[in-house]
Amino acid sequence: MGERFVTRGFVGRRDAPGAGGDLRARTPPGQYLTSDFPVLSAGPTPRTDLDRWSFRIEGLVDRPIEWTWDEFLALPARDWVVDISCVTKWTHLDMRWRGVSVDTLLEGVELDPAAAFVIAWCDGDYTTNLPLADVLNGQAFVAYEYDGAPLRPEHGGPARLVVPARYFWKSAKWIRGFRIQAADEPGFWESLGYHNRGDQWLEERYSGD
Ligand SMILES: Nc1nc2c(c(=O)[nH]1)N[C@H]1C(S)=C(S)[C@@H](COP(=O)(O)O)O[C@H]1N2
Ligand SMILES: [Mo]
């Protein structure tokens, strides 16, 4: 069995700074490890004035809620250290972010009993869809810092969604809000043949996988 040799290949890298545990066990199937942070955008980087930025939750809620940038920064935030996998096959372990849990954001509204899906929408018109169950209980956050600095525009700054348990296209950059729906609705990449769910541990890359 080749398994042993593959594992051995990674032993020497266990000492890499910040990389605890068994690196191979943390690498989803078909992925390679990198310490790079490539930029992948479907269009130009939008530049929204922070004075005009807001984050809004609408749809199947008792009443929509909207935070200005300053109000958003005043929400309870925390540091998150998470592993990110992109469908282009890179995995970057232990990425360090700061941001607000989706749980905290949803505390601001009362969800309709029919609420089941979140459509994340962004400056630049990108969307992505997620079941509510995939973003609750500490599974997702809206980040405004990466690696101790304000999130750079090309990586989604001023703020982006981060959903570590899904391929990175679900982590909508330049996010401006959530639309809560009863029905699922494929987002930008999901409409173009990418998998509706995108679980990297199940290699859900393309529709039909
Ligand atoms: N608004 C928006 N969000 C987006 C994208 C995009 O084009 N627009 N690209 C997605 C894809 S396909 C990936 S792989 C990641 C890339 O994030 P990065 O450029 O910070 O690496 O952002 C995702 N979020
Ligand atoms: Mo991507």
Side-chain angles (χ1 to χ4, degrees):
M1 302 221 230
E3 189 75 29
R4 216 181 114 228
F5 295 98
V6 175
T7 306
R8 273 184 63 197
F10 283 94
V11 167
R13 296 173 64 178
R14 275 187 183 161
D15 296 332
D22 185 336
L23 299 185
R24 179 169 161 75
R26 291 170 64 191
T27 309
Q31 298 290 113
Y32 67 88
L33 291 181
T34 184
S35 52
D36 290 342
F37 190 179
V39 172
L40 289 138
S41 303
T45 296
R47 310 268 172 174
T48 299
D49 204 332
L50 290 180
D51 291 346
R52 290 206 247 133
W53 187 93
S54 63
F55 190 95
R56 182 179 168 87
I57 303 178
E58 61 196 11
L60 290 180
V61 295
D62 55 341
R63 80 176 78 94
I65 189 169
E66 194 168 317
W67 294 275
T68 65
W69 179 249
D70 287 340
E71 289 166 345
F72 199 86
L73 291 185
L75 290 169
R78 47 162 281 207
D79 294 324
W80 307 76
V81 179
V82 296
D83 301 345
I84 296 293
S85 288
C86 176
V87 74
T88 60
K89 302 202 168 176
W90 59 263
T91 291
H92 188 145
L93 302 178
D94 293 319
M95 296 186 91
R96 197 162 58 89
W97 311 81
R98 185 167 183 81
V100 181
S101 169
V102 170
D103 302 310
T104 301
L105 298 173
L106 291 175
E107 277 171 21
V109 294
E110 199 171 310
L111 293 174
D112 185 285
F117 295 92
V118 177
I119 309 300
W121 54 273
C122 310
D123 283 321
D125 287 343
Y126 186 87
T127 55
T128 192
N129 56 313
L130 291 145
L132 261 173
D134 285 7
V135 296
L136 299 177
N137 301 312
Q139 294 180 97
F141 54 95
V142 174
Y144 46 76
E145 284 181 20
Y146 172 69
D147 211 14
L151 186 60
R152 285 163 47 197
E154 59 270 36
H155 284 304
R160 81 180 295 167
L161 183 64
V162 181
V163 190
R166 298 291 176 259
Y167 284 121
F168 208 25
W169 84 74
K170 295 283 186 184
S171 292
K173 305 198 280 191
W174 314 299
I175 193 166
R176 291 291 302 275
F178 291 146
R179 195 165 63 248
I180 310 293
Q181 301 189 166
D184 199 4
E185 183 184 330
F188 180 83
W189 284 119
E190 295 84 1
S191 305
L192 291 171
Y194 283 82
H195 198 279
N196 196 52
R197 182 167 58 173
D199 181 336
Q200 66 266 31
W201 288 100
L202 301 176
E203 280 212 83
E204 293 173 336
R205 298 176 188 275
Y206 308 105
S207 64
D209 282 354

